[in-house]
């Protein structure tokens, strides 16, 4: 009897052992197989399309009176000389008598040029002296002592100037020219005897001033000026080295232009320009789209010298993945009693509507004995922080759990540890990339080769990340850049 019971006991124990071994093998096979712990969201990107707002590039330009004076003095540094003759015939005692008056003269600037603001117009005062020699040929001239007689005189030429640009880009220079005698023009005969020629010279000068005013009004050819502007009315590109191995380009597409009225200040002439444009960041293979014809000028400028970029750029998902990977891949997390341990092996991001899905490849040790690996999916919402210029993935949540013992084995505490670790890792500093945009824009806007040699002072740009939205290949981002442009036209720009 005892022997029979002993045999049954052995058989029972053997059966239990075989059952336990089978259970162990089944569990081990289950846990060591690849596991998908949560539902994988479909790859789809947001139907909302971010578009950059229209931007404006403004510049306030100063033309100092000192530059105008230097240019005017440079233009009048050389004396102007000329000569002429005129024959006059009259009947004297029934006989026709003719005499020829011959003259030569030199006109010189006789002092410093003055520039002042008078009644909202620019007034230029140019001191002039002239000297020359006049002769009457023939015996009459010899008899009357009219050979090689000195002519002298001084006056101040006064020009009141006003410059405007019509909506059709046609510049107009209006001038009101006059003069003030400092010393009447006289011709010296014999000794101290002089003849005042003021009335005669006044008539000649009045005719000459009318010709000069016509010359001033036609100084800038409207068609040529408009054509030169139209040649610049195209998409401009600025190279921006966003990534180490590639160069992107800012495409600035002009939409409209405005110009302010010319302001005459106490020591300079001021004028403001403003260009309305769309600005996008593309790779260097993108072909620029042709723009429309040159539009008419708009009459007003919002804030003189202000630059307000609204820039649309794309942050590729691979770039985000490469940034996040070193922060989390290879890290392990365990439950309090260390019975369950999970290690992150890989990270991949892809869009799911207006959210991002984080595909986490993991390996885990369950109940200290079973090893398994697989994937778990976490959704996150991308948020822009304009103060720190960071992209944050927030509102992290596991997708719906699969019917999985592994997911059950990963305790709530362990899952929360994993989410907390990802929260810290999913803060991406875009500051370095945005600073590259700042530097490139500042250098391009102040590049003398693009500003006709006019020095441009660029205030330190301020770049802020404003909005994000998942797209097909990356996250679309709106970046706002603001700065101030102030140009001063130096005398060498006017002189050359």
């Amino acid at each position: 009897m005892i022997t029979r019971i002993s045999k049954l006991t052995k058989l029972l124990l053997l059966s239990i052992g075989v059952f336990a071994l089978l259970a162990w093998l089944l569990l081990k096979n289950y846990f060591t197989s690849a596991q998908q712990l949560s539902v994988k969201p479909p790859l789809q990107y947001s139907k909302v399309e971010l578009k950059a707002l229209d931007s404006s590039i403004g510049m306030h330009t100063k033309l100092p009176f000192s530059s105008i004076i230097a240019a005017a003095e440079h233009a009048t540094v050389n004396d102007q000389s000329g000569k002429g003759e005129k024959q006059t015939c009259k009947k004297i005692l029934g006989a026709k008598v003719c005499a020829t008056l011959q003259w030569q003269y030199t006109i010189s600037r006789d002092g410093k040029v003055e520039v002042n603001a008078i009644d909202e117009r620019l007034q230029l005062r140019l001191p002039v002296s002239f000297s020359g020699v006049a002769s009457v040929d023939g015996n009459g001239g010899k008899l009357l002592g009219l050979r090689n007689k000195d002519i002298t005189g001084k006056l101040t030429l006064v020009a009141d100037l006003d410059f405007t640009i019509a909506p059709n880009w046609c510049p107009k220079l209006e001038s009101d020219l006059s003069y003030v005698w400092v010393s009447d023009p006289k011709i010296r005969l014999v000794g101290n005897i002089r003849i005042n020629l003021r009335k005669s010279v006044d008539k000649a000068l009045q005719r000459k001033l009318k010709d000069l005013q016509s010359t001033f009004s036609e100084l800038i050819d409207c068609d040529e000026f408009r054509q030169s502007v139209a040649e610049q009315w195209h998409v401009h590109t600025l190279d921006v080295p966003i990534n180490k191995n590639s160069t992107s380009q800012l495409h600035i597409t002009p939409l409209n232009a405005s110009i302010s009225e010319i302001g005459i200040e106490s020591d300079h002439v001021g004028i403001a320009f403003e260009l309305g444009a769309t600005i996008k960041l593309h790779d260097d293979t993108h072909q620029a789209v042709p723009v429309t014809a040159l539009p008419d000028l708009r009459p007003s400028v919002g804030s003189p010298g202000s630059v307000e970029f609204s820039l649309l750029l794309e942050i590729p998902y691979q770039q985000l993945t490469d940034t996040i990977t070193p922060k989390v891949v290879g890290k392990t997390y365990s439950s309090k009693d260390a019975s369950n341990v999970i290690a992150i092996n890989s990270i991949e991001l892809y869009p799911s509507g207006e959210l991002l899905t984080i595909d986490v490849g993991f390996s885990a040790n369950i109940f200290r004995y079973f090893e398994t690996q697989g994937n778990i999916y976490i959704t996150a919402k991308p948020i822009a922080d304009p103060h720190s210029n960071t992209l944050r993935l927030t509102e992290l949540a596991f997708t719906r759990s699969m019917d999985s013992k592994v997911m059950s084995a990963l305790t709530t505490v362990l899952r929360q540890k994993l989410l907390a670790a990802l929260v810290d890792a999913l803060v991406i500093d875009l500051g370095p990339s945005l600073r590259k945009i700042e530097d490139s824009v500042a250098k391009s806007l102040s590049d003398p080769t693009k500003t006709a040699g006019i020095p441009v002072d660029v205030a330190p740009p301020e770049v802020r990340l404003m909005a994000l939205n998942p797209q097909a290949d990356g996250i679309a981002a709106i970046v706002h850049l603001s700065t101030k442009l102030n140009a001063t036209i130096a005398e060498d720009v006017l002189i050359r």
Side-chain angles (χ1 to χ4, degrees):
M1 182 68 178
I2 294 174
T3 303
R4 182 177 300 177
I5 292 174
S6 177
K7 289 182 177 180
L8 289 174
T9 302
K10 288 181 179 180
L11 182 61
L12 180 60
L13 291 173
L14 179 62
S15 299
I16 292 173
V18 171
F19 178 79
L21 178 61
L22 289 174
W24 172 269
L25 291 174
L26 288 173
L27 286 173
K28 182 176 178 61
N29 180 66
Y30 178 83
F31 281 115
T32 54
S33 61
Q35 301 286 324
Q36 179 179 326
L37 303 189
S38 62
V39 174
K40 180 178 182 179
L43 188 154
Q44 59 184 21
Y45 55 90
S46 171
K47 295 181 180 179
V48 177
E49 183 179 357
L50 281 188
K51 293 185 178 180
L53 300 175
D54 290 348
S55 304
S56 63
I57 305 173
M59 179 183 295
H60 184 260
T61 304
K62 288 183 178 180
L63 176 57
F65 287 173
S66 59
S67 296
I68 300 174
I69 290 172
E73 291 185 346
H74 181 269
T76 56
V77 68
N78 296 320
D79 296 343
Q80 302 296 314
S81 300
K83 60 182 179 178
E85 64 178 32
K86 183 178 182 180
Q87 186 182 63
T88 302
C89 296
K90 289 189 177 181
K91 285 186 178 182
I92 302 177
L93 300 176
K96 184 178 182 181
V97 179
C98 294
T100 301
L101 176 64
Q102 298 174 332
W103 66 87
Q104 58 185 19
Y105 63 89
T106 299
I107 299 176
S108 305
R109 176 167 53 80
D110 189 35
K112 297 290 186 180
V113 175
E114 294 182 13
V115 174
N116 296 290
I118 305 294
D119 296 332
E120 298 183 353
R121 300 189 87 184
L122 185 70
Q123 186 180 89
L124 184 146
R125 299 176 69 89
L126 178 68
V128 173
S129 66
F130 61 89
S131 60
V133 177
S135 294
V136 177
D137 69 349
N139 292 329
K142 183 178 181 180
L143 179 64
L144 297 173
L146 297 176
R147 290 280 184 87
N148 300 323
K149 295 304 173 181
D150 293 333
I151 302 174
T152 60
K154 292 185 178 183
L155 59 81
T156 299
L157 181 64
V158 181
D160 290 318
L161 305 174
D162 190 17
F163 180 80
T164 57
I165 299 181
N168 65 348
W169 294 88
C170 190
K172 186 176 182 181
L173 180 61
E174 295 182 350
S175 61
D176 183 8
L177 303 181
S178 60
Y179 59 91
V180 178
W181 285 109
V182 178
S183 174
D184 287 354
K186 297 176 181 178
I187 183 169
R188 184 168 64 85
L189 297 179
V190 179
N192 291 325
I193 300 175
R194 289 178 172 81
I195 298 176
N196 194 319
L197 303 177
R198 178 167 174 172
K199 288 185 178 180
S200 300
V201 175
D202 278 342
K203 291 180 181 180
L205 282 176
Q206 292 297 335
R207 290 193 298 268
K208 189 63 176 177
L209 289 183
K210 289 182 180 179
D211 294 338
L212 281 174
Q213 288 188 178
S214 298
T215 301
F216 268 114
S217 64
E218 298 171 0
L219 194 60
I220 304 176
D221 184 272
C222 176
D223 292 335
E224 287 185 5
F225 182 84
R226 181 181 172 87
Q227 179 61 32
S228 65
V229 175
E231 289 173 357
Q232 298 300 316
W233 198 258
H234 58 79
V235 178
H236 293 264
T237 59
L238 307 179
D239 289 338
V240 181
I242 297 293
N243 300 315
K244 292 182 180 179
N245 301 322
S246 64
T247 298
S248 299
Q249 290 181 333
L250 284 182
H251 284 206
I252 303 175
T253 305
L255 300 176
N256 53 67
S258 305
I259 188 170
S260 70
E261 293 184 358
I262 294 179
I264 309 297
E265 305 297 336
S266 60
D267 61 351
H268 70 271
V269 178
I271 187 170
F273 301 92
E274 188 173 271
L275 177 71
T278 57
I279 304 173
K280 293 185 179 181
L281 189 71
H282 298 283
D283 61 56
D284 57 5
T285 62
H286 186 87
Q287 297 297 315
V289 178
V291 300
T292 57
L294 180 67
D296 284 349
L297 272 171
R298 293 186 173 185
S300 62
V301 172
S303 179
S306 293
V307 176
E308 301 292 341
F309 276 9
S310 177
L311 170 65
L312 177 64
L313 57 84
E314 186 176 79
I315 307 168
Y317 293 123
Q318 188 59 51
Q319 179 182 338
L320 296 178
T321 300
D322 293 344
T323 302
I324 297 170
T325 294
K327 299 178 181 180
V328 295
V329 172
K331 303 292 177 66
T332 59
Y333 308 93
S334 61
S335 57
K336 291 182 179 180
D337 59 1
S339 61
N340 295 318
V341 179
I342 186 170
I344 299 178
N345 298 329
S346 65
I347 288 284
E348 184 180 346
L349 301 179
Y350 67 86
S352 298
E354 296 183 6
L355 301 177
L356 287 184
T357 293
I358 308 167
D359 180 352
V360 180
F362 72 92
S363 57
N365 189 297
I366 307 298
F367 306 133
R368 293 191 177 93
Y369 299 108
F370 304 108
E371 293 184 355
T372 188
Q373 61 183 7
N375 298 81
I376 190 170
Y377 299 94
I378 300 171
T379 59
K381 184 177 182 179
I383 297 293
D385 186 339
H387 301 290
S388 61
N389 284 331
T390 54
L391 183 158
R392 298 175 180 271
L393 299 182
T394 63
E395 301 179 19
L396 272 66
F398 289 102
T399 58
R400 183 171 55 83
S401 298
M402 306 286 284
D403 184 14
S404 166
K405 292 187 177 355
V406 176
M407 191 64 169
S408 300
L410 296 178
T411 64
T412 301
V413 173
L414 183 55
R415 279 180 276 173
Q416 291 304 317
K417 278 188 176 182
L418 179 58
L419 288 182
L422 287 174
V423 166
D424 293 336
L426 298 179
V427 177
I428 302 165
D429 182 11
L430 296 178
S433 296
L434 298 185
R435 281 191 289 274
K436 290 179 181 179
I437 296 177
E438 289 179 359
D439 293 341
S440 297
V441 169
K443 289 178 181 177
S444 296
L445 293 178
S446 60
D447 184 353
T449 63
K450 299 178 181 179
T451 61
I454 298 173
V456 177
D457 177 43
V458 183
E462 180 180 326
V463 177
R464 290 190 175 185
L465 183 67
M466 301 304 294
L468 300 170
N469 192 53
Q471 301 292 318
D473 301 313
I475 293 182
I478 296 291
V479 173
H480 185 265
L481 181 147
S482 61
T483 184
K484 283 271 191 179
L485 299 182
N486 290 287
T488 301
I489 302 177
E491 57 187 68
D492 60 332
V493 175
L494 297 179
I495 290 173
R496 67 170 179 261

